[in-house]
Amino acid sequence: MSTLTVPAQVPSVTEDCEQLRKAFEGWGTNEQLIISILAHRNAAQRKLIRQTYADTYGEDLLKSLDKELTNDFERVVMLWTLDPAERDAFLANEATKRWTSSNQVLMEIACTRSSKQLLEARQAYHARFKKSLEEDVGYHTNGDFRKLLLPLVTAYRYEGDEVNITLAKSEAKILHEKISNKAYNDEDLIRILATRSKAQINATLNQYKNVYGNDIDQDLEADPKDEYLDLLRATVQCLGTDEGALTRVVTTRAEVDLKVIKDEYQRRNSVPLDRAVVKDTSGDYEKMLLALLGHGDA
Amino acid sequence: MAEIEALIKAFSGHGVDEKTVISILGNSQPEHRQAFRKEGGFFAEDERRFERWNDHHVKLLKHEFMRFKNAVVLWAMHPWERDARLIKEALKKGPNSNSVIVEIASTRSSDELLGARKAYHSLFEHSIEEDVASHIHGKEKKLLVALVSAYRYEGPKVKEDVAKSEAKALISAVKNAEKQNPIENDEVVRILSTRSKPHLKSVFKHYKEIAGQHFEDELDVHLILQAAVQCLITPQSYFSRVLDEAMRDGADKNTKKGLTRVLVTRADVDIRAISDDYRNHYAIPLADKIEAKAKGSYKEFLLTLMARGN
């Protein structure tokens, strides 16, 4: 859930731009003023501010920020002001230039964005860096890291909910076999993680747990010093978070067997499903889910 | 007899010469048809004393009649759906059709390929890369998956020093062919599937300068790898080769389909350039070759596509 707070009465865009301009004037910079404005506007508002600022003062707001701010603060404000696709492109580009810990950034962008968002990031990358994301990732990574990252950043996953259980079972078997043999860079293992839809991968990970007893992350903990293994485990964790699952399962099973699912959930996690829903959701969404779960009176 | 010969001719080649079939067969009496059955070669004597259609020939005829319909349907299709369906068909047909996947992935613009990927989601509820990765098993798998996943930068800028060092990497991969087929070499796959087309043109120019011969002429280079390189840097000559192979006598069913596929997919793009290349290479204008080898409505349709705007 979002944490951004925007004032009830938002000043006009022109006012915001004037104030920002004032913040840059003179000897120092009025950081507090910048924070008070930019940190309390949503993406659409920030975009409008950026456009109007450019129209009014003939300069990209980001350039002003770059000139006037320093280091961490500048970075936060700058990243916040970019639109999401540009932000991802910027972070990805930065990651290709640095050393090992930045593989994580590339993987995160590739795995946690929707197919459309990842694509937009690739388009923004073309526009800004005059190269493709994949050519930079390919060039700046090697060995097992490249084997895993290239397919991840070039994926355009199907986004539907359809799941083939037979396929999930057979691919869970493949994953288990490769992991048992410590073949962590195996082509098939990477193929499954890099090309299947997220819904399908989740089904596969569930089958994995059902059949082999462990969560796949546990089986990927063999060697704490192995950085590639680390990355692989993080990949699985990122892909395995299925936000739509709660809505999907509750709405499609409420009239079928949700009671059975609730019982099973409690058995597995030692916590009632209702309590987990209350903890993780809020507002009308929470109320609706609880109602469908049979909570309270009709 | 002249008429039977003419009939046989009407059924051979690409498509069917409907006018001839109508005028000869349509006007025929029972004894003419019997003569056709006895002499045509499309029938065989059944044990119960009648000339029976050869099943195989009926199938061939079906394909020839369908050629026009397939061309029309493919032509009317949105290019995204067209490319998605062509890839799906190639995957179903097996390894001999892998070159079609290379063709589509490598000759389309970045946005056209992207469109095909989107259409594929809608049509088949999977991504192209997942189907290619799970259905292809040979050495070419790595390259194919990478090629269909590309979203190449399309600007003209090229870094000559990088191109040169990448040419050297290719040379080294080819030298090492005995230990590892270049098509499976990680650097080869990376370079071919991520670099922009102008950059690749430069890479192969340096290749020729340093190695002394063209990459495509190297002996140990996998056919699919050669096809990929041609499609990426000289698509027109690749297409004119596909066309020529399709129209050769004795071409198999899948190869013959190349005629429809290339004409329909390139008529709006670069068919004139392909035509010029064809004439330079094969000493006969493409339109003339099609006139000679194709028949009936199918032929007219293809020639019309080519002549549009003239």
Side-chain angles (χ1 to χ4, degrees):
Chain A
M1 311 294 319
S2 165
T3 52
L4 178 68
T5 56
V6 174
Q9 296 275 70
V10 184
S12 73
V13 181
T14 325
E15 247 186 84
D16 274 346
C17 287
E18 271 175 29
Q19 291 296 308
L20 282 171
R21 190 69 171 178
K22 270 212 191 101
F24 300 135
E25 270 165 13
W27 281 103
T29 311
N30 190 340
E31 284 92 352
Q32 194 48 51
L33 189 49
I34 294 175
I35 295 174
S36 74
I37 301 173
L38 290 178
H40 295 285
R41 302 289 181 270
N42 64 31
Q45 291 162 332
R46 298 198 303 278
K47 190 169 178 179
L48 198 50
I49 289 173
R50 204 174 150 193
Q51 267 171 323
T52 310
Y53 188 96
D55 290 340
T56 316
Y57 302 108
E59 189 179 56
D60 189 345
L61 176 61
L62 287 172
K63 273 233 168 64
S64 302
L65 291 171
D66 185 52
K67 271 195 295 194
E68 304 288 334
L69 308 183
T70 54
N71 306 330
D72 290 340
F73 180 57
E74 178 199 336
R75 189 180 164 75
V76 160
V77 175
M78 187 267 295
L79 284 178
W80 182 241
T81 314
L82 285 173
D83 78 49
E86 286 177 303
R87 189 185 306 149
D88 282 347
F90 178 86
L91 291 170
N93 177 261
E94 203 182 33
T96 60
K97 296 198 198 130
R98 294 222 232 107
W99 294 111
T100 50
S101 60
S102 48
N103 286 329
Q104 188 92 357
V105 172
L106 287 169
M107 177 280 295
E108 205 179 277
I109 294 175
C111 297
T112 61
R113 308 317 188 230
S114 72
S115 292
K116 181 163 180 275
Q117 289 168 333
L118 179 57
L119 180 64
E120 286 169 352
R122 288 169 85 178
Q123 287 168 331
Y125 201 98
H126 278 197
R128 192 181 171 123
F129 301 106
K130 312 289 183 226
K131 280 177 291 183
S132 65
L133 172 59
E134 59 265 33
E135 72 184 288
D136 275 351
V137 170
Y139 189 64
H140 288 104
T141 59
N142 48 36
D144 290 346
F145 293 101
R146 188 201 285 177
K147 275 203 177 114
L148 179 60
L149 288 172
L150 256 187
L152 286 179
V153 304
T154 55
Y156 186 60
R157 297 176 203 263
Y158 176 61
E159 300 213 281
D161 287 334
E162 295 86 337
V163 159
N164 179 327
I165 294 294
T166 313
L167 184 63
K169 286 191 173 135
S170 74
E171 294 195 331
K173 185 161 178 226
I174 295 175
L175 291 178
H176 186 255
E177 188 192 303
K178 305 298 178 182
I179 292 176
S180 305
N181 291 334
K182 297 200 195 286
Y184 303 120
N185 61 357
D186 176 84
E187 246 179 56
D188 265 337
L189 184 151
I190 292 179
R191 163 187 71 77
I192 293 168
L193 293 179
T195 66
R196 293 299 184 197
S197 73
K198 289 182 183 172
Q200 183 68 33
I201 290 178
N202 273 284
T204 304
L205 297 181
N206 283 336
Q207 286 301 321
Y208 188 101
K209 169 129 191 205
N210 285 347
V211 176
Y212 303 105
N214 283 346
D215 266 318
I216 196 173
D217 325 6
Q218 287 172 269
D219 289 348
L220 289 172
E221 267 168 13
D223 181 0
K225 291 222 188 75
D226 186 339
E227 281 170 4
Y228 170 74
L229 193 52
D230 233 20
L231 185 65
L232 187 62
R233 193 168 59 248
T235 305
V236 172
Q237 284 168 350
C238 278
L239 289 170
T241 327
D242 187 1
E243 277 115 20
L246 185 56
T247 306
R248 184 174 64 243
V249 174
V250 170
T251 55
T252 55
R253 312 306 284 190
E255 286 174 293
V256 183
D257 56 0
L258 195 50
K259 172 105 197 9
V260 176
I261 295 172
K262 273 171 73 171
D263 294 339
E264 180 64 20
Y265 185 91
Q266 169 124 30
R267 197 184 62 77
R268 270 208 209 187
N269 301 296
S270 309
V271 151
L273 180 53
D274 297 21
R275 182 133 24 110
V277 165
V278 167
K279 188 157 161 282
D280 268 359
T281 63
S282 65
D284 293 331
Y285 181 54
E286 176 194 325
K287 287 192 200 145
M288 182 70 178
L289 287 176
L290 288 176
L292 289 177
L293 282 168
H295 215 70
D297 297 323
Chain B
M1 277 174 248
E3 303 220 308
I4 294 181
E5 267 176 48
L7 246 192
I8 295 175
K9 201 158 167 248
F11 286 130
S12 347
H14 293 247
V16 173
D17 180 354
E18 299 99 347
K19 288 204 173 75
T20 302
V21 170
I22 291 171
S23 91
I24 297 181
L25 211 46
N27 274 319
S28 65
Q29 295 304 326
E31 57 271 21
H32 302 139
R33 264 162 283 136
Q34 183 172 59
F36 174 57
R37 284 195 298 273
K38 281 195 171 346
E39 324 239 347
F42 294 165
F43 297 78
E45 174 88 13
D46 183 273
E47 59 176 323
R48 293 188 176 81
R49 310 299 209 95
F50 65 97
E51 308 90 19
R52 185 183 145 169
W53 261 114
N54 193 324
D55 280 336
H56 177 66
H57 262 113
V58 173
K59 263 213 188 107
L60 287 180
L61 260 192
K62 184 177 96 162
H63 286 129
E64 294 310 334
F65 271 106
M66 284 222 296
R67 230 174 265 281
F68 176 47
K69 165 239 171 210
N70 287 338
V72 169
V73 168
L74 205 62
W75 177 243
M77 247 184 229
H78 191 293
W80 293 359
E81 180 176 353
R82 192 190 292 159
D83 282 347
R85 287 195 187 275
L86 286 171
I87 290 182
K88 181 66 159 179
E89 191 190 4
L91 279 173
K92 278 204 196 136
K93 289 235 141 78
N96 286 335
S97 297
N98 285 348
S99 57
V100 173
I101 300 176
V102 172
E103 186 183 299
I104 296 175
S106 313
T107 60
R108 306 320 189 226
S109 74
S110 294
D111 283 329
E112 285 167 351
L113 179 57
L114 180 64
R117 292 171 88 177
K118 289 183 183 166
Y120 200 95
H121 279 197
S122 299
L123 293 167
F124 306 113
E125 291 167 358
H126 285 282
S127 61
I128 292 184
E129 61 268 26
E130 85 182 273
D131 277 358
V132 170
S134 59
H135 285 98
I136 297 193
H137 301 290
K139 292 189 173 15
E140 56 265 40
K141 173 170 152 169
K142 243 195 254 190
L143 179 63
L144 255 49
V145 174
L147 286 176
V148 301
S149 309
Y151 186 60
R152 297 175 204 265
Y153 175 60
E154 299 204 294
K157 184 161 173 225
V158 171
K159 279 215 181 106
E160 292 296 336
D161 51 344
V162 177
K164 205 167 180 188
S165 82
E166 294 187 338
K168 290 190 180 145
L170 293 179
I171 290 174
S172 153
V174 170
K175 277 217 179 87
N176 214 16
E178 269 169 44
K179 293 218 190 86
Q180 182 194 45
N181 193 316
I183 202 176
E184 292 191 287
N185 178 289
D186 280 341
E187 281 292 273
V188 173
V189 172
R190 168 184 75 78
I191 294 167
L192 287 184
S193 67
T194 66
R195 292 302 189 194
S196 74
K197 290 175 184 178
H199 181 96
L200 287 172
K201 283 200 169 75
S202 178
V203 169
F204 287 103
K205 186 190 78 186
H206 286 288
Y207 188 100
K208 170 97 203 288
E209 277 166 21
I210 303 173
Q213 70 174 352
H214 287 293
F215 182 77
E216 306 92 271
D217 295 332
E218 298 280 11
L219 290 175
D220 298 314
V221 175
H222 195 292
L223 283 178
I224 287 291
L225 188 50
Q226 282 185 18
V229 173
Q230 281 193 327
C231 284
L232 287 165
I233 58 180
T234 51
Q236 284 96 24
S237 39
Y238 178 81
F239 283 124
S240 69
R241 178 162 66 78
V242 170
L243 287 171
D244 191 65
E245 282 172 1
M247 290 188 277
R248 233 175 257 175
D249 290 331
D252 70 58
K253 193 174 80 160
N254 284 333
T255 311
K256 275 171 108 172
K257 283 182 161 192
L259 179 56
T260 304
R261 186 180 69 248
V262 174
L263 256 307
V264 167
T265 57
R266 307 312 284 181
D268 285 329
V269 186
D270 54 0
I271 195 68
R272 265 182 236 310
I274 293 172
S275 215
D276 291 338
D277 186 286
Y278 190 90
R279 194 193 24 240
N280 289 339
H281 246 101
Y282 302 104
I284 165 181
L286 179 58
D288 289 1
K289 184 79 175 192
I290 294 179
E291 176 69 53
K293 292 290 181 177
K295 302 218 169 331
S297 308
Y298 177 65
K299 175 185 77 176
E300 272 182 60
F301 188 65
L302 292 184
L303 291 176
T304 309
L305 293 187
M306 276 187 71
R308 274 172 324 143
N310 271 352

